[in-house]
Structure formats: C-alpha cells, structure tokens
Amino acid sequence: MRRITYTTILGLFSYCLMAQTAPPTIDAIPKKQYYTQKLSGPPIKLDGIPDEASWEAVAWGGDFTQYQPNEGKAPSQPTSFKILYDDKFLYVGVRCTDAAPDSVIKRMSRRDEFPGDWIEINLDSYHDKRTAFSFSLSVSGVRGDEFISQNGNNWDTSWNPIWSGKTHMDAQGWTAEIKIPLSQLRYGNETEKVWGLQVTRRLFRKEERSTWQYIPQSSGVWVSGFGELHGLTNVPAQKQVEIAPYTVARTEKYQKQEGNPFATGTGSKISAGLDGKVAVTSDLILDFTVNPDFGQVEADPSQVRIDGFQNFFEERRPFFVESRNIFDYQLTGSEAGGDYDSDLLFYSRRIGSSPHGSPSLNEGEYANTPPNTAILGAAKFSGKTKKGWSIGILESVTQRTMAQIDHDGDRRTEVVEPLTSFFVGRLQKDINAGNTVIGGIFTGVNRENSLGNKLHTGAYSGGLDFLHYWKNRTWYFRGNFVFSHVQGSKESIANTQQAFEHLFQRANAPEVGVDLNRTSLTGTGGTFRFGKSGGKAGRLGQVFKFETGVTYRSPELELNDIGFMLSANEINHFTWAGLQFQKSVSIFRSARINYNHWSRWDFGGQFTYQAFNTNLHGTFRNNWQVGGGATWNAYVISNNALRGGSSLRRPSGINQWAYIRSDSRKKILANFNISNNWGQDQTTRSSDYSLSLRMQPLDALNIILSAGYNRNWRKQDQFVANVDYERQMRTIVSEVTQKTMRYTLRLNYNITPDLTLQYYGQPFITRPLYTNFAYVTDPLNKLYAQRFHRFTTAEVSLGTDGYVVDENRDGKPDYTFGKPDFNFVQFRSNLVARWEYKPGSEIYLVWSQGSTPDVGSDLDSPINNSLFDNVFSQQSSNIFLVKLTYRFLR
C-alpha cells in the first residue's frame, strides 16, 4: 500500500511547539530477521485460520511498531505472523489481535482499493533494496497487489498476480492465510536466499499503521529499510506459463442516419484473442497479447481545451498498464512540479489511438472510419536479474486502417492509418546495492508510409539516465539526457516545424526558422537535479527536504509519435523546499509546508516565466484534512498563445486554492476544492469549484457523487485565428468566457470479493463564448491595452459564414474568420459486472453508453439547462458486450 504521509495545516504552528524525542536515523535501527522453514507437515488448508500442525514448525514474528500516527510507539493492537514455503508456494499466516472485534471495519471494494482493516506483506525477492512485491488482504477478503519501485517512491497497482487469501473473525480479532505462488515472484538462483521483508497492519478505526520492521518516516526510504527473511533453501526456479484465450460478443445500437448505409442503427460482431505470460527464467518474463480487446475498460473523462495544448489521458488498458514501471521515462518528474512534468518518452496511448487521417469524400458519399486503429499484437519482455540489470522490451504492431466509402452502392477504401510498428527498449543497472543506478532507453516508430505526407515515416528517441544516493539515501543527484530524430517527406517535416509544440514560424524567434527542404529533425532534452529526500528529524519530528534543478527541451525535440510532449524550445529552472512534520503533535497527526519557484527561458535567450508558490497542508487528529496555497505569476510570456504569430506577454497574477476533506473513516466523506485566479488590472479571472461525496451505506456498497464548475474569463488575449492581410499575417484575438460543468457518479457493489458491479457515468458541458475581437499590434508591450487593437463596430460584423473585417473602412471586406463560439455536450458511462470465477479467469458483462448531441449552436440557454436538456435529446450509442477469459496455468 502506498506510504500515505498525511498532511496538516501549518498555519497553526503554535500548537506544535512541544518537546518531542526525535526518531532515530535509519542506520541506527537494527534489521530484524525472520527464519522460515520448508513445509514438511500436512498441507495448508486455505481457510483463513492458521491452526494446521504445519504452522508449529516456525515461530511467530511480532513486536510491531507504529508507523503513524504515533511513530515509534507501541501499536494499539498487537500483530503476529508466520511464514512457510514449499516448492511452489509461499504461505503467510497472520494473527491480528483486537480487543474490540466488533469494531473491526469490514468494508469491501474492488481490487487494489484497500478498504477497511487490512494486512500487507512486502517481499523484496530480488533483495536489491529498491523494488518489492506487495500483497494486501483486507479483513473482508479484498485483495490488493502492487509492484514497488524507486525504493518506495512508486507503488504500481497495475501489477495483478494470481494469488489467494482468506480471513476469519474470532473472539480475539481476526486471522488470515495467504498463499502466494512462487511463480508470481522474481528471484535469483542462489542456494540460500535472503529476501527483504516488511509486514504492515492497518487499524482502520484509528487510521493507524504499524510495521514489523520500524522505518522512520524521516528516513525517506522504504524498501532499503526492510527486515530480512531467512531460511529459503533450494527454492527451485519456477516455469510460469499462463495462457488466457478470450472471446467477445458485442452488439451496438445507435441513431440511424437516413441514406447512410453504414449507419443502420445496429451492429454486432464476435471476436477472439489471446493473452499470455511465460517465465523465460525465474526473474525474466514475457507477456504477449494477440488481437486484444479492451471493451471492459472505463471510458475516458470528457476534456476540451481551447489553449492549443493536447489532452493527456491516463492509460487504462490492462496489457499496457501492467508492469509499466520499467518503461516509465519521465523527462522531469520533479517535486516542484510544472507543466513539463507530463513529458514522457513513452506514452502508450499512442498505440491503438484514433486514425490520423480522414477519407476524402465527394458529394453523395458516406464513410465508415474505425474510431481506433486495431492492435494486431503486442509483446513485452521484462524483469530484473540478480546482478542488478532491469530489462524491458515492448513491441506492438497496429493494423493498416481502412475507411470504407460508399456512393450509391459502389464502394471503395481509403487508408486512414498506415501499418505501424512501435518499439520500446529499457535497461537499468543497480550499482553498490542500488545507491547508484544508471540506465538507458530507446524508442522507435516505423510506418509503411507517411499517409499523404501527414506523418513521419520514422520517429526515434532515446536517453541515458543516472541516479546516485549518499548518506543513507537521503541525498541524491539524478538526471537524464534524451534525444529525438524524426524523418519523413518535406511536407511532413514542414508540418512538424510549424506545429503548436514548435512554431518555427514565430516572428520573434531568431533561434529557429522554417526550412521547407528538410526531411528530418533532431532534438535533445534533459533534466539534472539535486536534492534531499530525508534525514534526521528534529524534536517535533520535522524533516527538511528540497530539490532544485534544470530541465530543457531543444527547439527540434519531438516526442509525440510514441511519447508525450507539451512544448519544445524551453529551459526551465525549478526549486522546491518542504518542511514536513511527520509525528503526531498536539491536535495534529502530521504537517507540511512547501515553497516553490520556477523560471523559464527559450533558446533565443528570451526570459518567459517567473513564478513563486507556497502551500500548507494539514490533517487533524480527527482525520479531517485541510490545505491551501497561492502562486504569484510575476512574469509570463507565452510562445504558443498566438499559434506562431509572435510571443505574447500575458498578465501577471495570483492563483489561490484551498481544500477541506472530512474523515475518510466515516460512512460519508466530503471533499470540497476551490481555486481562483486574478490577473493584474482585471485582465483575467477564473474560478473552479468541485464537491464530491462518498457514501458507504453498506460495507459492500460504495457510492461517489461529484460535481464541478469552472468559469474562465480572459479580457482580450484569447487566440481566434491567423489570417492574411496585405501579405502579412494578422493574429485575431478576443475576450472569452468559458464555462464548464461536469457531474460524475461512481457506484461499486461487491457481492463477494470476486463478484463486483461497477458503474461510471459523467454528463459534461463546456461553452466558450468569444466577444470584443481585436488584432495583435505590439504583443510584448508592457501596457496591456497597447498589445491589441480592438475592432470597432464599423470594422467587424457577423456574416452568414463568420465574421467579416473591413479594417481600412473602405466598404470592402479585407478578410474573414469563422465564428469560434461552440457548445459541447457529452455523456459517457460504463456498467461492468465482473466475476473472477477462478483465479485469473473472468467473465465481464458490459454496457457502455455514449452521447455527443449536435448542439453546437445552443449558445444562449443557461449552461446547466443546456446540459440536461440536450444530453439525452438524441439516441445514445449503446454497446453491450460479453467477454469470457479462461486462464490456463502451469
């Protein structure tokens, strides 16, 4: 389970000034050892009661220590465990003593949500002191599993091994038995094995965590602080083979379109595929999928941006989610944060995305274009050797995608996405017990053609990275260097040079220029940072942490064929410093205060950004949480805002945000967030409000309702269009008011831990309205009003096809631009019944519903009315799906 460091408000510092004994440093704490034995007696009957005679062969491990809230003290309730093993399985028996068994919380949830009281086993079977496998079992029988990496800084819930666990309530509390196939773990071939071991218990009603091996929160480490599991002798290598064929039956109903032979109102198909997992060695594994289907995956939330930046969607498809940690290569990932934190060398949503092309239609023609490119197959090879080499290789091929075109019964096809191969290779090496890590990555995209000069035929990127710790892993220096190389036709490379992420055509960009004869681009980027992640705590349990560094992207860096990049041509400096109070003091459980600042330049030497931030967070003893912060944007110049017209100076301003969250242990949990932004001299104003309620009427039923409202207003600098006027480019801007509302309902009902019903639904609306049009005159002028010329009523008028501009007032149109206002309404939902009828084998019943009504011209009605009057005004698209998988294990 993720090490949750609860936060407290630091505005009440005076309550915290009490003398406390500082916790010891990590090097002063002796490592515990637990000795297991091979199972020699009768087999373990997995019933949650560790009373078989075989358990008597080993001693109980215990003497737990509180991790939170009262770090270092004895836990409220004692916990003990035993461990046995045989040639195939590791067995864990647990006794969670509780003086008030009726108070044990037995909440249920879907897998990996960790409800109520639970026990957790962490195993560093590589014994590399950086990675571990985590198995959690709640008293209600819900399993959770995570792969831990980066010494506890990353907990990946996408890892879903096959294992079993049972629990039992009695007069002394509750007990558990866990059975973990050794084939699900990775380990070396030593005769005598030593594994890292940690056992954690959560006492839900007190929100208390206690651990077998004490690890101070101030240490900044997790896996490297584990105790040790001894006694594993002659454990054979496991030949894991899992084959899971599946079949999918799908039917769809949607609105019929008269005259369109492809929109008959119904459709159905049956498909089949195969997933597999093969252990090549005891520490390296091959995963593969053929003709995958992800129909059971929850729909993406609706998103609409008018600032030009692309949307980022989380990966939800199981094959790409599982074991993804080895392929993660974030360019920055700093504690200080920033827009650039989302830049990735590998963004798996590029695989199987929407086609890049669209068919060319003549009058009277209809087209059937697949919504996504089909993945023919994918394979990944990953693992870690005993010598500290981490290996990850992924290859996927997407099908040539064709659009069918019909004209009075005559049909033809047109390519909308070429056959494409995606490759990712990742290698890392641990040195000096993981205190130094070096690595590299290489990605490649190869397409059979450029799709009419729209796409790169080849796109490659790579990088080298390093990490070095010292002083018990509390100080670090880390960095990476990356490169990219894209190639294609002159037209496709010209498009890349002028794309939103690059804008080589920008007027005030001496460092770049559009070259129409180029057939390739090569760029670089990198991040270097230095920081402190832990250390000796003060008398109040306070720990000072910080990080500072620089990250850059050269103008020609291009990652978006297989990665994700918001913008190139920037050099960023960032600094973060935090004071964290991790001990329970007075009315608080813990506390932290943070400071950040950011600066940015482009490669032409232009200073473009300066901002300062501070934020406070707090959790009271009653488990309520509060927090807030403010950012002063002191200086802002955007190279993207005018889409290549020029850089634009934007107003300085202040952003303020705050939140309050009630006690998560209660049957009703409320969470309220608010943020406001004010631009200097009333040039911008935005507000965002959100409220969510989580209700737990039954241990097996969880309902979450949330609502959000956003209003964003900009006085004059919202981009509208670039037009030609007298052989020069005119950049049209306007005032804009955008209102957005979204409502979300989530329902989770657990009939049993293996039989669940889940619902997700979200109606969404956004409406930007543009007024007071102008063109840019002096975009970098210090005075806001001098940056634009606002059209008078004599200069601009609304015509039938958009706005008509008579700039010189001679009575003749000089140029036109389209009316940018729109109203976007969408509804998305999924209802999924899932039954894991045997370990690893599942049946899914899915109903997906979607609706995007044609209401773009509904600009006058109140936004809430427009949403609910229109969201179901047209027939929704309904997909009904049955998916059956059966997993063969060896």
Side-chain angles (χ1 to χ4, degrees):
M1 190 89 50
R2 221 173 280 275
R3 296 305 101 200
I4 303 173
T5 305
Y6 285 99
T7 54
T8 54
I9 191 73
L10 279 234
L12 303 176
F13 254 151
S14 58
Y15 287 99
C16 298
L17 300 179
M18 299 170 59
Q20 298 285 331
T21 302
T25 58
I26 188 68
D27 56 335
I29 301 172
K31 290 291 182 72
K32 286 187 173 182
Q33 296 181 347
Y34 181 85
Y35 287 84
T36 184
Q37 290 190 24
K38 192 168 186 177
L39 180 65
S40 58
I44 301 296
K45 179 185 177 182
L46 200 70
D47 57 6
I49 309 173
D51 60 354
E52 290 86 355
S54 298
W55 288 112
E56 300 302 322
V58 291
W60 287 102
D63 191 23
F64 280 51
T65 305
Q66 272 199 58
Y67 184 78
Q68 56 184 222
N70 301 308
E71 182 185 338
K73 294 185 178 180
S76 301
Q77 307 293 335
T79 308
S80 53
F81 66 92
K82 291 185 175 186
I83 299 177
L84 291 169
Y85 73 99
D86 59 23
D87 288 346
K88 294 290 184 182
F89 300 97
L90 189 77
Y91 304 90
V92 183
V94 183
R95 158 61 68 182
C96 296
T97 303
D98 200 308
D102 292 341
S103 299
V104 173
I105 304 300
K106 310 177 191 66
R107 290 185 184 177
M108 298 180 70
S109 73
R110 52 186 174 181
R111 188 168 182 164
D112 293 336
E113 290 194 350
F114 314 103
D117 285 64
W118 47 253
I119 193 75
E120 176 184 281
I121 315 299
N122 291 174
L123 297 169
D124 177 12
S125 55
Y126 288 121
H127 207 214
D128 62 4
K129 301 184 180 182
R130 293 186 66 239
T131 62
F133 302 95
S134 177
F135 302 86
S136 302
L137 184 65
S138 74
V139 66
S140 59
V142 177
R143 288 169 295 156
D145 28 60
E146 297 166 289
F147 180 73
I148 310 169
S149 59
Q150 300 176 24
N151 200 10
N153 288 326
N154 183 36
W155 294 66
D156 186 0
T157 59
S158 67
W159 181 61
N160 287 314
I162 297 172
W163 59 285
S164 303
K166 296 289 184 180
T167 62
H168 176 75
M169 291 291 304
D170 59 26
Q172 299 177 45
W174 63 282
T175 57
E177 286 183 313
I178 295 172
K179 182 179 179 182
I180 303 171
L182 293 172
S183 63
Q184 306 298 304
L185 304 174
R186 300 290 168 263
Y187 49 85
N189 56 5
E190 311 90 347
T191 301
E192 300 286 338
K193 302 186 191 307
V194 177
W195 292 357
L197 174 67
Q198 179 66 293
V199 182
T200 305
R201 178 184 177 182
R202 180 195 194 188
L203 187 65
F204 184 83
R205 65 181 180 272
K206 292 181 176 290
E207 197 51 81
E208 176 184 296
R209 314 284 173 101
S210 56
T211 60
W212 174 64
Q213 174 66 57
Y214 174 45
I215 303 175
Q217 295 182 54
S218 62
S219 68
V221 304
W222 183 246
V223 180
S224 62
F226 283 4
E228 295 178 343
L229 175 61
H230 291 255
L232 297 164
T233 305
N234 295 319
V235 178
Q238 304 298 311
K239 298 298 183 182
Q240 178 187 10
V241 178
E242 299 177 16
I243 304 295
Y246 64 83
T247 182
V248 178
R250 178 196 306 259
T251 184
E252 183 175 3
K253 296 187 68 177
Y254 53 90
Q255 185 169 353
K256 182 178 180 180
Q257 184 179 347
E258 292 298 330
N260 187 344
F262 301 115
T264 61
T266 60
S268 54
K269 70 173 184 177
I270 297 177
S271 60
L274 181 71
D275 293 335
K277 190 184 296 284
V278 178
V280 180
T281 68
S282 62
D283 47 20
L284 297 172
I285 195 162
L286 173 68
D287 294 90
F288 62 89
T289 183
V290 179
N291 192 33
D293 182 276
F294 305 112
Q296 77 277 15
V297 174
E298 184 178 286
D300 290 318
S302 301
Q303 293 187 37
V304 175
R305 299 184 71 159
I306 62 172
D307 58 4
F309 291 98
Q310 57 183 314
N311 288 316
F312 182 91
F313 294 102
E314 290 186 6
E315 179 60 86
R316 303 173 187 270
R317 299 169 295 178
F319 177 83
F320 295 104
V321 167
E322 292 175 7
S323 304
R324 65 183 172 185
N325 63 291
I326 185 62
F327 301 104
D328 283 347
Y329 201 96
Q330 201 168 2
L331 266 68
T332 309
S334 71
E335 293 285 354
D339 290 342
Y340 42 78
D341 257 0
S342 60
D343 290 352
L344 305 167
L345 255 66
F346 176 51
Y347 176 47
S348 57
R349 291 295 295 265
R350 303 293 186 200
I351 303 174
S353 62
S354 301
H356 288 90
S358 57
S360 301
L361 299 181
N362 300 316
E363 186 176 351
E365 289 186 330
Y366 295 92
N368 179 27
T369 304
N372 297 98
T373 57
I375 301 174
L376 295 175
K380 56 185 174 184
F381 178 73
S382 60
K384 187 170 187 176
T385 70
K386 184 60 181 176
K387 293 184 178 181
W389 287 100
S390 297
I391 302 169
I393 298 174
L394 184 146
E395 174 76 27
S396 181
V397 177
T398 56
Q399 187 176 26
R400 182 187 302 113
T401 305
M402 312 294 292
Q404 284 187 305
I405 303 168
D406 183 278
H407 181 76
D408 293 334
D410 293 330
R411 294 199 174 181
R412 60 185 176 90
T413 59
E414 190 173 315
V415 178
V416 292
E417 185 75 20
L419 180 71
T420 306
S421 168
F422 298 87
F423 173 83
V424 185
R426 181 79 164 106
L427 190 66
Q428 283 184 299
K429 178 68 168 72
D430 292 358
I431 302 171
N432 188 23
N435 286 306
T436 301
V437 183
I438 58 174
I441 189 173
F442 179 79
T443 75
V445 178
N446 290 284
R447 299 184 175 96
E448 63 176 346
N449 59 61
S450 64
L451 195 65
N453 298 319
K454 293 180 180 179
L455 302 175
H456 304 134
T457 53
Y460 312 97
S461 66
L464 299 173
D465 58 283
F466 66 89
L467 166 64
H468 179 66
Y469 290 108
W470 67 94
K471 203 171 182 180
N472 295 314
R473 303 197 184 200
T474 58
W475 291 83
Y476 63 88
F477 178 56
R478 66 188 307 169
N480 59 47
F481 168 80
V482 303
F483 77 91
S484 69
H485 178 77
V486 295
Q487 57 192 37
S489 65
K490 293 180 180 180
E491 292 83 354
S492 65
I493 297 302
N495 290 337
T496 302
Q497 294 177 72
Q498 298 174 80
F500 179 84
E501 294 81 7
H502 302 278
L503 300 174
F504 283 13
Q505 72 275 29
R506 184 164 50 86
N508 64 326
E511 69 275 19
V512 292
V514 177
D515 185 345
L516 299 178
N517 292 315
R518 296 191 65 172
T519 57
S520 66
L521 294 173
T522 301
T524 63
T527 301
F528 303 93
R529 56 187 185 266
F530 162 73
K532 179 177 179 286
S533 60
K536 185 176 180 180
R539 63 189 183 91
L540 298 178
Q542 74 271 24
V543 178
F544 175 73
K545 302 180 180 182
F546 80 93
E547 181 178 82
T548 187
V550 62
T551 181
Y552 79 96
R553 290 103 176 90
S554 76
E556 293 189 14
L557 185 69
E558 173 53 51
L559 304 176
N560 286 321
D561 288 87
I562 194 172
F564 187 92
M565 184 184 73
L566 287 174
S567 184
N569 192 6
E570 58 183 46
I571 303 168
N572 294 277
H573 163 69
F574 54 86
T575 292
W576 162 79
L579 189 62
Q580 300 184 5
F581 290 73
Q582 298 167 323
K583 296 189 67 173
S584 181
V585 182
S586 184
I587 62 173
F588 303 111
R589 293 176 67 95
S590 58
R592 75 173 185 259
I593 180 171
N594 297 306
Y595 164 82
N596 301 274
H597 71 247
W598 305 272
S599 303
R600 181 180 303 154
W601 299 260
D602 64 25
F603 273 68
Q606 179 179 225
F607 184 55
T608 61
Y609 187 64
Q610 181 77 71
F612 304 89
N613 166 271
T614 186
N615 54 87
L616 310 164
H617 308 265
T619 299
F620 297 101
R621 284 186 177 272
N622 64 2
N623 217 42
W624 280 63
Q625 299 179 22
V626 295
T631 299
W632 174 36
N633 295 301
Y635 186 78
V636 183
I637 288 180
S638 173
N639 286 340
N640 307 88
L642 301 182
R643 314 298 201 269
S646 171
S647 299
L648 174 66
R649 184 166 183 171
R650 290 197 136 161
S652 59
I654 293 178
N655 173 263
Q656 161 274 323
W657 53 269
Y659 67 88
I660 183 169
R661 187 173 185 263
S662 65
D663 187 351
S664 61
R665 299 169 297 178
K666 303 300 183 181
K667 293 287 187 178
I668 297 179
L669 166 67
N671 190 4
F672 178 69
N673 294 267
I674 180 174
S675 68
N676 289 283
N677 177 276
W678 297 273
Q680 186 179 21
D681 298 326
Q682 298 183 343
T683 50
T684 65
R685 175 66 193 271
S686 66
S687 301
D688 189 275
Y689 308 92
S690 65
L691 173 67
S692 68
L693 297 174
R694 189 194 70 192
M695 294 163 283
Q696 190 92 34
L698 305 170
D699 282 337
L701 179 62
N702 176 305
I703 302 170
I704 301 175
L705 290 168
S706 63
Y709 172 75
N710 175 272
R711 182 184 184 274
N712 182 42
W713 172 78
R714 304 195 70 88
K715 182 177 181 179
Q716 195 63 77
D717 60 2
Q718 174 60 46
F719 174 81
V720 176
N722 282 319
V723 299
D724 291 326
Y725 176 58
E726 295 183 346
R727 298 183 180 181
Q728 293 184 346
M729 184 170 67
R730 274 280 189 259
T731 299
I732 308 303
V733 293
S734 76
E735 177 182 335
V736 67
T737 301
Q738 182 181 18
K739 297 180 180 179
T740 302
M741 295 194 70
R742 69 175 77 234
Y743 300 89
T744 305
L745 168 64
R746 292 183 184 273
L747 182 149
N748 298 290
Y749 181 58
N750 288 68
I751 302 169
T752 71
D754 298 317
L755 179 58
T756 62
L757 187 67
Q758 300 160 11
Y759 176 79
Y760 162 82
Q762 184 189 80
F764 171 90
I765 184 172
T766 189
R767 179 193 291 168
L769 300 179
Y770 297 72
T771 57
N772 296 324
F773 295 96
Y775 65 83
V776 178
T777 55
D778 188 2
L780 297 177
N781 197 296
K782 291 183 178 180
L783 299 177
Y784 188 84
Q786 298 300 314
R787 299 170 199 167
F788 318 101
H789 167 78
R790 180 176 288 188
F791 291 124
T792 66
T793 55
E795 293 175 318
V796 65
S797 60
L798 180 61
T800 56
D801 297 322
Y803 287 92
V804 179
V805 177
D806 179 12
E807 190 173 313
N808 57 17
R809 304 189 189 184
D810 62 358
K812 299 178 182 179
D814 292 319
Y815 50 87
T816 63
F817 59 90
K819 185 178 181 180
D821 305 14
F822 65 89
N823 187 55
F824 179 81
V825 174
Q826 189 171 69
F827 175 74
R828 289 179 170 180
S829 71
N830 293 82
L831 178 63
V832 180
R834 172 188 170 274
W835 178 32
E836 187 174 1
Y837 59 93
K838 66 184 293 286
S841 300
E842 300 164 317
I843 294 176
Y844 291 95
L845 303 177
V846 182
W847 172 30
S848 296
Q849 187 178 38
S851 174
T852 307
D854 184 12
V855 292
S857 59
D858 180 18
L859 304 175
D860 299 321
S861 62
I863 187 171
N864 209 45
N865 292 356
S866 180
L867 173 61
F868 290 104
D869 290 346
N870 294 312
V871 71
F872 298 116
S873 61
Q874 300 175 9
Q875 181 177 343
S876 301
S877 173
N878 293 274
I879 298 175
F880 302 91
L881 176 149
V882 179
K883 181 175 182 179
L884 170 66
T885 70
Y886 186 88
R887 189 172 298 269
F888 297 91
L889 303 176
R890 176 180 179 272

